[in-house]
Amino acid sequence: MTTSGPILSLVGLTRRFGEIAAVDDIDLEILDGEFFTIVGPSGSGKSTLIRILAGLERVDSGAVLLRGRAITDVPANKRPTAMVFQSLALFNHKTVGENIEFAPKMRGVDPAARRARALELMDLVRLPEAYYARPVTRCSGGERQRVALARALASDPEILFFDEPLSAIDYRLRKMLEVELKDLHRETGKTFIYITHSLEEAMVMSDRIGIMRAGRLVQIGPPLEIYQQPRSRFVAEFMGEVNVLRASEFGVAGEGWLVVRPEQLRPLAPGEAADVVFEARIVNDYLLGSRKQFHARADERMLIGEIAVAAASVPGPGEPVRLGFDLGDAVRVAE
Amino acid sequence: MRQRVSPGLLAMLPVMALILVGFALPILLVLLYSLMPPRTFSLAGEPTLANYWAAVTEGYLLPLGWSLLLAGLTTLLCLVLAWPTAKALVRFAGRFATLATILIALPIFISESVRLFGTALFMMPGGGIFAGSLNALFGLKIGSILYTRTATLLGMVYIHFPFMLFPMVLGLSLVPQDQIEAACDLGARPFQVFREIELPLALPGITVGTLLTFVLSLGANAEAAILGGQAVIVITKAIEQRFGYAQDWPSGAALTVLVILVTAAVIFPVLRRLDLDRLIRR
């Protein structure tokens, strides 16, 4: 990853639909060569945001700067960016080759050079050369993903946008394509801006992640930081299943919440102490490969814990258990 | 009756009978009459090609030429006018599109002659609605295009516009918005989006509209009669004269067969390349 200042700056970006601000006063700097992922639930405005950056959606106020130059009003076809759409938006009346060569053709590159570039890109995204003359309608889901990717790369963009392109792909193929995308990012050195509702997907690929909620970026940081130090209940809960406890109930001064990850809530051996202890009863347990997750009830409270299968035995459903965590492991969030 | 008749064949019978009696039989009659000696009313005469020879040598190529020219120009003008209209209806109009569609479609339910006479009143010199109003309100005196070839052409465009527009709207609605956006995103200028995406994807609709408009225009004669006066004689008018005023059925029949042949020569090559399924499937 090369980091030499921001390639893209968003300043007070706002886009309203009626009363609702889909994008609400967003400030953000994206570094050159970075893999930046915007994660948010559906309706958080992330698609609108990326469409604004691509030039497919207008803004109500604010500015988009590319290397310090305002491009807010530059139409999509004049921006040095390319998008991989959620629907992929392949040109179904064209062949794989014609799809990939679309951008060079629009720029008037001669056919021989276009073809050479297309074959080069097909090799890069691991599409066999024989696919060149094949109609895209005869390609499988994964192959179509690769065509869309090669087509976007063929315009030689400074920034590539991805609008949830993997959301409709089955799990195994998605995992494979995630890794390939990360490799591709490293190989091309281009700036990738990726949108997804899956934090898991974001974690695998990103240099930095921005969590979006109701048109705002509520936290920005490297994946590990977001995982370990969520700044709000929303971020913590978005990261996966966590225990959120009111801080004041556990002798912690002030307002706010304690976020306790499942792996930090451990079954206690008889006589073992912890800062906070629950007398609970196991409700259910699930095997997650090498780890086991369990749900337990302590009075009216539902708790979720996780433990390595090899490490210790957890009582089965219906049996009592002592669970505990240390306050030093919990993350304190204000809201 | 042991033999089983397929239900599909059975269901087709009524429409096949209708086509046979209402379409194939009259055409066959016309074809037979065109081969009869001139000015006879019997089908029992000695077959001859004299009528075709007469049609080519006695000046009927001119009305045929006018019909083809007017039909071609009408189709071209309708194409050019319908494209932006169709785009507006499909892409931008939203709820207004339904209203606009109704407004455009409604006149089809009114007799063509009534509409053309209305247009004629509008164009009337001096006392017509347009010229008269200009004179009464602003003291402007203008001439009139009524009873000219231009008026005929305008009338034909006016009458046939919906037949171009609606298939085109259908065709254009087959073009996915995301493909247009993708083309833009990949650097295509508006004209390139038109050429690379919209035109090829909307082509089935455009083709259907073009064929409908051309064929209907070629068979049109009311526009020339009502708005054209004596400025232009179209082939359908000539055929009508041969059958009616001249009482020369074989001659009229020969002209009819010529028009059918010319129409077929234009349409069949296009139809062969048209994938109607694509238009219907979505």
Side-chain angles (χ1 to χ4, degrees):
Chain A
M1 190 179 86
T2 54
T3 47
S4 52
I7 185 168
L8 201 65
S9 309
L10 286 54
V11 187
L13 216 53
T14 301
R15 174 74 170 110
R16 294 175 195 286
F17 295 108
E19 287 298 292
I20 297 157
V23 172
D24 190 3
D25 194 21
I26 284 188
D27 293 297
L28 176 66
E29 291 207 324
I30 288 172
L31 305 176
D32 200 352
E34 190 174 27
F35 196 133
F36 191 94
T37 304
I38 298 163
V39 194
S42 56
S44 58
K46 56 191 192 302
S47 263
T48 307
L49 179 59
I50 207 163
R51 286 174 56 83
I52 289 173
L53 300 184
L56 296 168
E57 189 80 59
R58 61 177 186 84
V59 301
D60 287 318
S61 58
V64 182
L65 310 175
L66 182 75
R67 298 190 197 283
R69 190 172 57 88
I71 57 161
T72 321
D73 297 321
V74 175
N77 57 1
K78 298 207 174 73
R79 292 191 188 194
T81 61
M83 168 115 102
V84 178
F85 288 76
Q86 180 164 22
S87 64
L88 301 184
L90 293 182
F91 305 135
N92 286 331
H93 58 297
K94 294 177 184 283
T95 63
V96 169
E98 287 167 344
N99 266 274
I100 299 173
E101 289 175 19
F102 189 83
K105 187 180 173 189
M106 295 305 102
R107 258 187 274 137
V109 178
D110 72 88
R114 256 158 39 196
R115 190 190 152 93
R117 176 76 177 133
L119 291 173
E120 203 180 294
L121 285 167
M122 285 173 70
D123 185 51
L124 185 67
V125 299
R126 294 166 214 188
L127 270 173
E129 200 178 316
Y131 277 61
Y132 181 84
R134 188 171 292 192
V136 281
T137 44
R138 278 183 46 219
C139 291
S140 73
E143 288 157 5
R144 289 171 65 85
Q145 294 279 345
R146 291 162 206 268
V147 176
L149 193 56
R151 186 181 71 173
L153 283 167
S155 69
D156 209 16
E158 291 192 49
I159 305 175
L160 258 108
F161 299 117
F162 298 85
D163 185 5
E164 300 199 47
L166 302 183
S167 60
I169 297 277
D170 70 76
Y171 183 81
R172 243 171 56 102
L173 184 58
R174 194 171 71 225
K175 287 285 142 204
M176 206 168 91
L177 289 169
E178 280 171 10
V179 174
E180 284 185 23
L181 213 52
K182 193 173 180 174
D183 291 345
L184 192 72
H185 174 245
R186 199 172 43 241
E187 284 164 36
T188 59
K190 291 185 187 298
T191 307
F192 280 27
I193 301 181
Y194 195 96
I195 281 205
T196 177
H197 59 264
S198 158
L199 198 74
E200 194 192 343
E201 203 171 299
M203 290 274 178
V204 174
M205 299 185 289
S206 318
D207 296 319
R208 279 196 305 158
I209 294 174
I211 310 275
M212 197 156 173
R213 179 192 192 184
R216 290 174 165 275
L217 285 170
V218 291
Q219 187 170 355
I220 301 168
L224 197 61
E225 185 185 302
I226 298 230
Y227 184 77
Q228 289 177 336
Q229 293 152 23
R231 257 190 253 136
S232 63
R233 282 179 67 183
F234 176 81
V235 174
E237 284 171 347
F238 202 75
M239 296 295 300
E241 290 178 286
V242 289
N243 302 289
V244 178
L245 309 165
R246 195 177 285 281
S248 54
E249 285 181 51
F250 302 96
V252 181
E255 285 298 295
W257 308 83
L258 294 174
V259 174
V260 183
R261 306 218 150 273
E263 63 268 25
Q264 287 156 350
L265 187 72
R266 60 183 196 273
L268 300 175
E272 188 182 349
D275 290 351
V276 175
V277 177
F278 296 103
E279 296 295 340
R281 195 172 284 276
I282 301 286
V283 178
N284 245 325
D285 56 5
Y286 318 92
L287 192 63
L288 309 170
S290 62
R291 300 182 70 78
K292 192 181 203 176
Q293 199 174 68
F294 54 87
H295 289 182
R297 181 187 293 278
D299 299 323
E300 289 307 298
R301 205 190 307 274
M302 285 299 289
L303 296 165
I304 180 164
E306 212 177 282
I307 191 166
V309 171
S313 62
V314 183
E319 290 176 40
V321 66
R322 276 178 78 229
L323 297 172
F325 70 92
D326 293 321
L327 286 174
D329 292 337
V331 178
R332 179 85 184 275
V333 295
E335 46 167 5
Chain B
M1 292 268 284
R2 290 276 150 213
Q3 188 115 31
R4 288 180 71 111
V5 182
S6 98
L9 206 66
L10 218 58
M12 265 166 59
L13 270 178
V15 74
M16 278 171 69
L18 185 71
I19 286 179
L20 203 70
V21 176
F23 182 73
L25 221 55
I27 297 245
L28 188 70
L29 271 179
V30 167
L31 194 65
L32 289 176
Y33 262 115
S34 74
L35 297 171
M36 292 298 107
R39 294 180 193 282
T40 57
F41 297 95
S42 145
L43 281 171
E46 182 83 7
T48 168
L49 286 173
N51 299 304
Y52 289 96
W53 181 244
V56 178
T57 53
E58 285 173 21
Y60 287 106
L61 288 184
L62 191 65
L64 184 61
W66 270 116
S67 280
L68 284 170
L69 183 68
L70 280 172
L73 282 176
T74 302
T75 310
L76 207 66
L77 279 173
C78 282
L79 269 174
V80 173
L81 288 173
W83 180 261
T85 316
K87 262 196 90 160
L89 283 179
V90 173
R91 297 264 171 258
F92 310 113
R95 259 198 314 185
F96 174 71
T98 317
L99 183 70
T101 308
I102 292 171
L103 284 179
I104 295 167
L106 219 51
I108 300 176
F109 297 105
I110 300 166
S111 151
E112 190 180 307
S113 310
V114 172
R115 279 186 286 154
L116 286 172
F117 275 117
T119 315
L121 278 179
F122 192 81
M123 291 177 177
M124 209 72 86
I129 295 173
F130 187 61
S133 305
L134 279 183
N135 193 9
L137 291 173
F138 307 106
L140 272 175
K141 288 187 196 300
I142 57 160
S144 168
I145 57 163
L146 191 61
Y147 305 137
T148 63
R149 287 159 193 162
T150 314
T152 309
L153 183 61
L154 284 183
M156 287 176 74
V157 169
Y158 163 61
I159 293 291
H160 297 105
F161 182 70
F163 298 101
M164 179 67 85
L165 180 68
F166 292 123
M168 198 182 257
V169 166
L170 189 61
L172 205 56
S173 66
L174 294 181
V175 185
Q177 182 62 23
D178 63 353
Q179 291 195 21
I180 294 176
E181 285 185 344
C184 278
D185 185 56
L186 293 167
R189 293 186 303 271
F191 176 73
Q192 290 174 316
V193 175
F194 166 77
R195 192 188 61 201
E196 297 286 333
I197 312 295
E198 290 175 317
L199 189 61
L201 290 180
L203 200 58
I206 298 171
T207 313
V208 169
T210 305
L211 286 181
L212 270 180
T213 309
F214 184 76
V215 171
L216 290 174
S217 305
L218 199 61
N221 65 353
E223 293 84 354
I226 297 171
L227 298 177
Q230 298 297 317
V232 58
I233 304 221
V234 292
I235 190 68
T236 34
K237 183 70 186 169
I239 293 172
E240 194 190 311
Q241 277 174 349
R242 293 321 292 168
F243 274 107
Y245 179 73
Q247 289 291 305
D248 189 352
W249 290 12
S251 158
L255 286 179
T256 308
V257 172
L258 273 186
V259 173
I260 290 175
L261 286 179
V262 169
T263 312
V266 173
I267 288 180
F268 278 112
V270 182
L271 269 185
R272 281 176 63 124
R273 296 185 51 186
L274 178 66
D275 186 5
L276 266 183
D277 274 356
R278 247 212 59 183
L279 201 61
I280 298 162
R281 225 180 292 139
R282 275 275 282 272

